[in-house]
Amino acid sequence: MTDAKNTQIFLKKRPDHIPEPQHFDIREVDMPVPQAGEALCKIHYLSLDPYMRGQISGRHITGTVHEGDTLLGQTIGEVIESKHDDYKIGDMLCFHGGWQSHAICNGTQTSLVDPRIQPASLALGILGMPGLTAYAGLLDLGEPKKGDVLVVSAATGGVGSMVGQIGRIYGCRVIGIAGSAEKCQWAVEQAGFAACIDYHKENVAERIDALCPDGVDIYFDNVGGDILEAVIWRLAVGARVVLCGLMAQYNDDKLPPGPNPGAIIKARATVRGLVVYDHVHRQADFVSDVLDWLADGSIAYKEDVAEGLAQAPESFCRLMRGNNFGKTIIKL
Protein backbone atom coordinates (compact mmCIF):
# COMPACT_ATOMS: atom_id res chain seq x y z
CA MET A 1 0.00 0.00 0.00
CA THR A 2 2.96 2.35 0.44
CA ASP A 3 3.38 2.94 -3.31
CA ALA A 4 -0.34 3.07 -4.09
CA LYS A 5 -1.95 6.41 -4.81
CA ASN A 6 -5.38 7.84 -4.05
CA THR A 7 -7.13 9.54 -6.97
CA GLN A 8 -9.27 12.58 -6.14
CA ILE A 9 -11.49 15.03 -8.02
CA PHE A 10 -11.22 18.56 -6.62
CA LEU A 11 -12.84 21.92 -7.28
CA LYS A 12 -10.46 23.88 -9.49
CA LYS A 13 -12.59 27.01 -9.90
CA ARG A 14 -15.95 27.90 -8.43
CA PRO A 15 -18.57 28.24 -11.19
CA ASP A 16 -20.83 31.29 -11.35
CA HIS A 17 -23.66 29.44 -13.05
CA ILE A 18 -24.07 25.91 -14.43
CA PRO A 19 -20.81 24.03 -13.75
CA GLU A 20 -18.64 22.81 -16.61
CA PRO A 21 -16.00 20.06 -16.56
CA GLN A 22 -13.18 22.65 -16.59
CA HIS A 23 -14.26 23.77 -13.12
CA PHE A 24 -12.91 20.45 -11.78
CA ASP A 25 -9.58 18.66 -11.96
CA ILE A 26 -8.03 15.34 -10.99
CA ARG A 27 -4.99 14.62 -8.83
CA GLU A 28 -3.16 11.75 -7.23
CA VAL A 29 -2.11 11.93 -3.58
CA ASP A 30 -0.59 9.53 -1.08
CA MET A 31 -2.86 6.74 0.06
CA PRO A 32 -4.47 7.62 3.42
CA VAL A 33 -3.44 5.49 6.38
CA PRO A 34 -6.12 4.46 8.88
CA GLN A 35 -5.53 5.27 12.53
CA ALA A 36 -7.13 3.68 15.57
CA GLY A 37 -10.91 3.68 15.16
CA GLU A 38 -10.73 4.07 11.37
CA ALA A 39 -11.01 1.89 8.27
CA LEU A 40 -9.59 2.42 4.79
CA CYS A 41 -12.11 1.79 2.03
CA LYS A 42 -11.84 1.30 -1.71
CA ILE A 43 -14.74 3.22 -3.24
CA HIS A 44 -16.99 1.21 -5.55
CA TYR A 45 -19.83 3.70 -6.12
CA LEU A 46 -20.15 7.48 -5.78
CA SER A 47 -23.51 9.26 -5.61
CA LEU A 48 -23.89 12.57 -7.46
CA ASP A 49 -26.72 14.79 -6.23
CA PRO A 50 -27.99 18.32 -6.93
CA TYR A 51 -27.35 19.45 -3.34
CA MET A 52 -23.63 19.30 -4.12
CA ARG A 53 -24.03 22.47 -6.16
CA GLY A 54 -25.24 24.13 -2.95
CA GLN A 55 -22.06 22.98 -1.22
CA ILE A 56 -19.99 24.61 -3.96
CA SER A 57 -22.00 27.82 -3.53
CA GLY A 58 -21.63 27.69 0.25
CA ARG A 59 -25.38 27.43 0.78
CA HIS A 60 -25.89 23.90 2.03
CA ILE A 61 -26.23 22.62 5.59
CA THR A 62 -23.75 19.78 4.94
CA GLY A 63 -20.81 22.12 4.43
CA THR A 64 -18.94 24.19 1.87
CA VAL A 65 -16.53 23.04 -0.84
CA HIS A 66 -13.80 25.61 -1.49
CA GLU A 67 -11.46 25.82 -4.46
CA GLY A 68 -8.80 23.15 -3.99
CA ASP A 69 -11.06 20.93 -1.87
CA THR A 70 -11.98 17.37 -2.77
CA LEU A 71 -15.67 17.22 -3.64
CA LEU A 72 -17.96 15.75 -1.00
CA GLY A 73 -20.41 12.92 -1.58
CA GLN A 74 -21.91 9.71 -0.31
CA THR A 75 -20.20 6.50 -1.36
CA ILE A 76 -20.25 2.73 -1.14
CA GLY A 77 -16.81 1.46 -0.17
CA GLU A 78 -15.20 -1.90 0.57
CA VAL A 79 -13.04 -2.13 3.68
CA ILE A 80 -9.47 -3.04 2.66
CA GLU A 81 -7.71 -2.22 5.95
CA SER A 82 -9.35 -1.79 9.33
CA LYS A 83 -8.45 -0.46 12.75
CA HIS A 84 -12.13 -0.04 13.64
CA ASP A 85 -13.71 -2.61 15.98
CA ASP A 86 -16.99 -2.73 14.04
CA TYR A 87 -15.66 -3.16 10.49
CA LYS A 88 -13.69 -6.03 9.00
CA ILE A 89 -11.95 -6.43 5.66
CA GLY A 90 -14.50 -7.06 2.93
CA ASP A 91 -17.37 -5.19 4.62
CA MET A 92 -19.30 -2.85 2.32
CA LEU A 93 -19.98 0.51 3.96
CA CYS A 94 -22.17 3.43 3.01
CA PHE A 95 -20.55 6.67 4.15
CA HIS A 96 -19.48 10.12 2.99
CA GLY A 97 -16.25 9.21 1.25
CA GLY A 98 -16.22 11.96 -1.37
CA TRP A 99 -15.03 12.08 -4.97
CA GLN A 100 -11.99 9.83 -4.61
CA SER A 101 -10.88 6.28 -5.19
CA HIS A 102 -10.11 5.55 -1.51
CA ALA A 103 -11.34 7.12 1.71
CA ILE A 104 -10.99 6.84 5.46
CA CYS A 105 -14.15 5.94 7.35
CA ASN A 106 -14.33 6.61 11.10
CA GLY A 107 -17.87 5.31 11.58
CA THR A 108 -19.58 8.72 11.54
CA GLN A 109 -22.82 8.60 9.53
CA THR A 110 -21.86 5.12 8.39
CA SER A 111 -23.96 2.03 7.81
CA LEU A 112 -23.20 -1.48 6.63
CA VAL A 113 -24.78 -2.11 3.26
CA ASP A 114 -27.59 -4.63 3.68
CA PRO A 115 -26.53 -7.74 1.71
CA ARG A 116 -30.09 -8.00 0.35
CA ILE A 117 -29.50 -4.81 -1.63
CA GLN A 118 -28.40 -5.84 -5.11
CA PRO A 119 -26.83 -4.15 -6.93
CA ALA A 120 -25.11 -2.33 -4.07
CA SER A 121 -25.49 0.97 -5.95
CA LEU A 122 -29.16 0.95 -4.92
CA ALA A 123 -27.95 1.80 -1.41
CA LEU A 124 -27.15 5.25 -2.85
CA GLY A 125 -30.48 5.58 -4.66
CA ILE A 126 -33.90 4.12 -4.01
CA LEU A 127 -32.58 2.25 -0.95
CA GLY A 128 -30.33 5.10 0.18
CA MET A 129 -30.58 8.76 1.07
CA PRO A 130 -32.79 9.73 -1.91
CA GLY A 131 -35.18 6.87 -1.17
CA LEU A 132 -35.32 7.69 2.54
CA THR A 133 -35.93 11.34 1.65
CA ALA A 134 -38.91 10.32 -0.43
CA TYR A 135 -40.21 7.77 2.07
CA ALA A 136 -40.02 9.89 5.21
CA GLY A 137 -40.86 13.14 3.45
CA LEU A 138 -44.03 11.83 1.87
CA LEU A 139 -45.26 9.58 4.67
CA ASP A 140 -44.30 11.72 7.68
CA LEU A 141 -44.73 15.22 6.24
CA GLY A 142 -47.04 14.77 3.26
CA GLU A 143 -49.39 12.41 5.13
CA PRO A 144 -50.88 10.77 2.02
CA LYS A 145 -54.41 9.43 2.05
CA LYS A 146 -56.22 7.28 -0.48
CA GLY A 147 -57.67 9.49 -3.18
CA ASP A 148 -55.26 12.40 -2.64
CA VAL A 149 -53.89 14.16 -5.69
CA LEU A 150 -50.10 14.16 -5.38
CA VAL A 151 -47.92 16.31 -7.63
CA VAL A 152 -44.15 15.82 -7.61
CA SER A 153 -41.50 17.78 -9.52
CA ALA A 154 -38.24 16.29 -10.85
CA ALA A 155 -40.43 13.22 -11.12
CA THR A 156 -37.89 10.80 -12.58
CA GLY A 157 -34.99 11.71 -10.28
CA GLY A 158 -33.84 9.61 -7.35
CA VAL A 159 -36.22 11.32 -4.92
CA GLY A 160 -39.13 12.25 -7.19
CA SER A 161 -39.56 8.83 -8.75
CA MET A 162 -39.82 7.24 -5.32
CA VAL A 163 -42.21 9.89 -4.01
CA GLY A 164 -44.58 9.21 -6.89
CA GLN A 165 -44.43 5.45 -6.60
CA ILE A 166 -44.85 5.40 -2.82
CA GLY A 167 -47.77 7.79 -3.25
CA ARG A 168 -49.32 5.42 -5.80
CA ILE A 169 -48.89 2.49 -3.40
CA TYR A 170 -50.72 4.54 -0.75
CA GLY A 171 -53.63 5.20 -3.09
CA CYS A 172 -52.80 8.68 -4.41
CA ARG A 173 -53.42 9.87 -7.95
CA VAL A 174 -49.92 10.93 -8.95
CA ILE A 175 -49.01 13.70 -11.40
CA GLY A 176 -45.33 14.12 -12.23
CA ILE A 177 -43.43 17.06 -13.67
CA ALA A 178 -40.27 16.24 -15.64
CA GLY A 179 -38.01 17.66 -18.33
CA SER A 180 -38.53 15.53 -21.43
CA ALA A 181 -41.06 13.37 -23.25
CA GLU A 182 -38.87 10.31 -22.58
CA LYS A 183 -38.86 10.98 -18.84
CA CYS A 184 -42.61 11.56 -18.78
CA GLN A 185 -43.20 8.36 -20.71
CA TRP A 186 -41.14 6.40 -18.17
CA ALA A 187 -43.01 7.98 -15.26
CA VAL A 188 -46.36 6.88 -16.68
CA GLU A 189 -45.49 3.53 -18.25
CA GLN A 190 -42.90 2.21 -15.79
CA ALA A 191 -43.53 4.05 -12.52
CA GLY A 192 -47.33 4.05 -12.79
CA PHE A 193 -48.01 7.78 -12.55
CA ALA A 194 -51.45 8.89 -13.74
CA ALA A 195 -49.85 11.61 -15.89
CA CYS A 196 -46.62 13.54 -16.28
CA ILE A 197 -46.11 17.13 -17.49
CA ASP A 198 -43.14 17.98 -19.72
CA TYR A 199 -42.24 21.44 -18.43
CA HIS A 200 -40.10 22.16 -21.48
CA LYS A 201 -42.99 21.75 -23.90
CA GLU A 202 -46.15 22.23 -21.83
CA ASN A 203 -47.56 25.05 -19.73
CA VAL A 204 -47.34 23.65 -16.21
CA ALA A 205 -50.10 25.83 -14.75
CA GLU A 206 -52.54 25.02 -17.54
CA ARG A 207 -51.82 21.30 -17.38
CA ILE A 208 -52.29 21.20 -13.61
CA ASP A 209 -55.62 23.01 -14.03
CA ALA A 210 -56.69 20.35 -16.52
CA LEU A 211 -55.34 17.34 -14.63
CA CYS A 212 -56.24 18.49 -11.10
CA PRO A 213 -59.60 20.31 -11.39
CA ASP A 214 -60.22 20.02 -7.64
CA GLY A 215 -56.72 21.16 -6.72
CA VAL A 216 -53.54 19.53 -5.47
CA ASP A 217 -53.67 17.80 -2.07
CA ILE A 218 -49.91 17.15 -1.73
CA TYR A 219 -47.13 18.91 -3.56
CA PHE A 220 -43.64 17.47 -3.14
CA ASP A 221 -41.25 20.09 -4.47
CA ASN A 222 -37.72 19.30 -5.60
CA VAL A 223 -37.03 22.38 -7.70
CA GLY A 224 -38.54 25.64 -6.42
CA GLY A 225 -38.76 28.57 -8.83
CA ASP A 226 -41.50 28.96 -11.41
CA ILE A 227 -42.78 25.41 -11.01
CA LEU A 228 -43.32 25.88 -7.29
CA GLU A 229 -45.07 29.17 -8.02
CA ALA A 230 -47.37 27.50 -10.53
CA VAL A 231 -48.35 24.63 -8.25
CA ILE A 232 -49.00 26.50 -5.02
CA TRP A 233 -51.71 28.63 -6.65
CA ARG A 234 -53.49 25.36 -7.42
CA LEU A 235 -53.46 23.81 -3.96
CA ALA A 236 -56.63 22.31 -2.54
CA VAL A 237 -57.87 23.54 0.82
CA GLY A 238 -55.84 21.81 3.52
CA ALA A 239 -53.03 20.87 1.14
CA ARG A 240 -49.63 19.75 2.37
CA VAL A 241 -46.51 21.12 0.70
CA VAL A 242 -43.17 19.38 1.26
CA LEU A 243 -40.20 21.56 0.29
CA CYS A 244 -37.27 19.28 -0.45
CA GLY A 245 -34.99 20.63 -3.19
CA LEU A 246 -34.02 23.88 -4.88
CA MET A 247 -32.79 22.77 -8.29
CA ALA A 248 -34.00 26.00 -9.91
CA GLN A 249 -31.57 28.11 -7.88
CA TYR A 250 -28.56 25.88 -7.23
CA ASN A 251 -26.72 27.24 -10.28
CA ASP A 252 -27.26 30.93 -9.51
CA ASP A 253 -25.45 33.13 -7.03
CA LYS A 254 -28.41 35.53 -6.78
CA LEU A 255 -31.37 34.05 -4.98
CA PRO A 256 -34.64 34.33 -6.93
CA PRO A 257 -37.77 35.82 -5.37
CA GLY A 258 -39.84 33.25 -3.54
CA PRO A 259 -43.45 32.25 -4.21
CA ASN A 260 -46.22 34.47 -2.95
CA PRO A 261 -47.29 33.31 0.54
CA GLY A 262 -50.79 34.49 -0.29
CA ALA A 263 -51.29 31.25 -2.19
CA ILE A 264 -50.45 29.23 0.91
CA ILE A 265 -52.78 31.32 3.05
CA LYS A 266 -55.60 30.95 0.53
CA ALA A 267 -55.24 27.18 0.60
CA ARG A 268 -54.81 26.98 4.39
CA ALA A 269 -51.89 24.76 3.41
CA THR A 270 -49.34 23.15 5.66
CA VAL A 271 -45.80 23.66 4.38
CA ARG A 272 -42.98 21.52 5.73
CA GLY A 273 -39.27 21.79 5.08
CA LEU A 274 -37.61 18.41 4.61
CA VAL A 275 -34.08 17.56 5.78
CA VAL A 276 -33.44 13.84 5.43
CA TYR A 277 -31.00 13.72 8.35
CA ASP A 278 -33.95 14.32 10.70
CA HIS A 279 -35.44 10.98 9.63
CA VAL A 280 -32.62 8.45 9.96
CA HIS A 281 -34.65 6.64 12.62
CA ARG A 282 -36.94 5.52 9.78
CA GLN A 283 -34.11 3.70 7.98
CA ALA A 284 -35.02 0.15 9.02
CA ASP A 285 -38.73 0.54 8.17
CA PHE A 286 -37.82 2.23 4.89
CA VAL A 287 -35.42 -0.51 3.73
CA SER A 288 -37.84 -3.28 4.73
CA ASP A 289 -40.79 -1.70 2.90
CA VAL A 290 -38.87 -0.85 -0.27
CA LEU A 291 -37.29 -4.31 -0.51
CA ASP A 292 -40.79 -5.78 -0.31
CA TRP A 293 -42.05 -3.37 -2.97
CA LEU A 294 -39.13 -4.24 -5.24
CA ALA A 295 -39.75 -7.95 -4.76
CA ASP A 296 -43.43 -7.71 -5.70
CA GLY A 297 -42.85 -5.35 -8.63
CA SER A 298 -44.49 -2.28 -7.07
CA ILE A 299 -41.38 -0.12 -7.54
CA ALA A 300 -39.43 0.58 -10.72
CA TYR A 301 -36.11 2.40 -10.78
CA LYS A 302 -33.67 3.87 -13.24
CA GLU A 303 -29.98 4.60 -12.71
CA ASP A 304 -27.81 6.93 -14.77
CA VAL A 305 -24.42 5.19 -14.37
CA ALA A 306 -21.04 6.33 -15.69
CA GLU A 307 -17.91 4.23 -15.24
CA GLY A 308 -14.69 5.67 -13.85
CA LEU A 309 -14.02 8.46 -11.36
CA ALA A 310 -12.77 10.68 -14.20
CA GLN A 311 -16.35 10.77 -15.53
CA ALA A 312 -17.67 12.42 -12.34
CA PRO A 313 -17.27 16.07 -13.47
CA GLU A 314 -19.11 15.59 -16.79
CA SER A 315 -21.81 13.48 -15.12
CA PHE A 316 -22.32 16.13 -12.45
CA CYS A 317 -22.55 18.86 -15.08
CA ARG A 318 -25.14 16.81 -16.98
CA LEU A 319 -27.09 16.44 -13.75
CA MET A 320 -27.05 20.18 -13.13
CA ARG A 321 -28.22 20.82 -16.69
CA GLY A 322 -31.11 18.43 -16.09
CA ASN A 323 -29.83 16.00 -18.74
CA ASN A 324 -29.55 12.98 -16.46
CA PHE A 325 -32.24 10.30 -16.47
CA GLY A 326 -32.53 8.49 -13.15
CA LYS A 327 -30.25 8.43 -10.12
CA THR A 328 -26.75 9.62 -11.08
CA ILE A 329 -24.07 7.13 -10.03
CA ILE A 330 -20.35 6.84 -10.73
CA LYS A 331 -19.08 3.26 -10.76
CA LEU A 332 -15.40 3.12 -9.95
Side-chain angles (χ1 to χ4, degrees):
M1 297 293 291
T2 55
D3 296 330
K5 294 292 185 179
N6 182 28
T7 304
Q8 300 177 328
I9 304 292
F10 66 95
L11 182 65
K12 183 177 181 180
K13 182 174 175 57
R14 183 177 173 275
D16 294 325
H17 192 47
I18 297 174
E20 299 292 342
Q22 61 265 27
H23 291 119
F24 306 89
D25 209 345
I26 192 166
R27 63 190 172 200
E28 288 193 342
V29 298
D30 290 339
M31 186 67 67
V33 177
Q35 303 302 311
E38 297 179 337
L40 174 63
C41 295
K42 176 180 173 58
I43 304 302
H44 286 228
Y45 297 99
L46 164 66
S47 174
L48 299 183
D49 299 280
Y51 75 83
M52 294 172 173
R53 184 63 180 85
Q55 293 174 330
I56 293 171
S57 298
R59 297 201 306 261
H60 200 268
I61 62 173
T62 55
T64 299
V65 174
H66 300 282
E67 292 180 0
D69 288 351
T70 303
L71 277 296
L72 307 176
Q74 197 169 41
T75 56
I76 301 295
E78 178 185 359
V79 177
I80 59 174
E81 184 178 352
S82 182
K83 295 182 180 178
H84 193 292
D85 293 339
D86 295 335
Y87 309 133
K88 64 181 184 298
I89 292 175
D91 282 347
M92 297 294 284
L93 305 181
C94 182
F95 70 108
H96 291 272
W99 295 28
Q100 53 186 341
S101 62
H102 297 78
I104 293 291
C105 175
N106 62 12
T108 302
Q109 294 184 333
T110 300
S111 60
L112 284 164
V113 177
D114 192 312
R116 295 173 297 172
I117 298 176
Q118 295 294 330
S121 58
L122 295 184
L124 296 174
I126 64 169
L127 282 157
M129 184 182 68
L132 178 59
T133 301
Y135 180 90
L138 180 62
L139 300 187
D140 294 353
L141 305 185
E143 302 175 357
K145 303 185 298 294
K146 186 175 182 179
D148 277 344
V149 174
L150 164 64
V151 173
V152 55
S153 57
T156 60
V159 174
S161 62
M162 285 295 286
V163 168
Q165 292 182 90
I166 295 170
R168 170 178 50 75
I169 290 168
Y170 273 73
C172 297
R173 179 170 175 266
V174 181
I175 310 297
I177 303 172
S180 73
E182 181 186 13
K183 292 178 180 180
C184 287
Q185 182 179 9
W186 184 88
V188 173
E189 296 181 0
Q190 301 299 317
F193 289 23
C196 189
I197 302 166
D198 180 351
Y199 69 83
H200 282 308
K201 295 184 177 179
E202 300 180 274
N203 183 296
V204 173
E206 291 178 359
R207 290 291 287 142
I208 292 175
D209 284 338
L211 292 167
C212 314
D214 296 321
V216 175
D217 299 300
I218 307 171
Y219 177 48
F220 197 106
D221 182 55
N222 291 304
V223 297
D226 293 340
I227 292 176
L228 173 59
E229 177 78 5
V231 178
I232 66 164
W233 284 112
R234 288 154 182 86
L235 298 174
V237 172
R240 286 83 70 202
V241 177
V242 182
L243 301 179
C244 179
L246 296 166
M247 188 67 178
Q249 69 181 51
Y250 283 142
N251 288 317
D252 294 316
D253 285 338
K254 184 178 180 182
L255 295 179
N260 192 315
I264 297 169
I265 295 170
K266 176 184 175 184
R268 291 79 154 175
T270 299
V271 178
R272 307 286 295 274
L274 173 59
V275 176
V276 67
Y277 309 113
D278 296 338
H279 300 275
V280 292
H281 62 284
R282 296 282 267 151
Q283 180 76 18
D285 291 339
F286 152 66
V287 170
S288 177
D289 284 346
V290 176
L291 284 171
D292 287 345
W293 292 333
L294 276 172
D296 67 18
S298 296
I299 292 287
Y301 69 89
K302 190 169 181 63
E303 294 182 313
D304 191 327
V305 180
E307 296 210 10
L309 183 62
Q311 299 302 312
E314 174 56 35
S315 293
F316 181 65
C317 296
R318 287 179 58 249
L319 171 65
M320 297 314 298
R321 292 193 297 266
N323 293 336
N324 66 304
F325 189 177
K327 177 71 187 78
T328 305
I329 296 285
I330 300 298
K331 182 179 180 181
L332 278 70

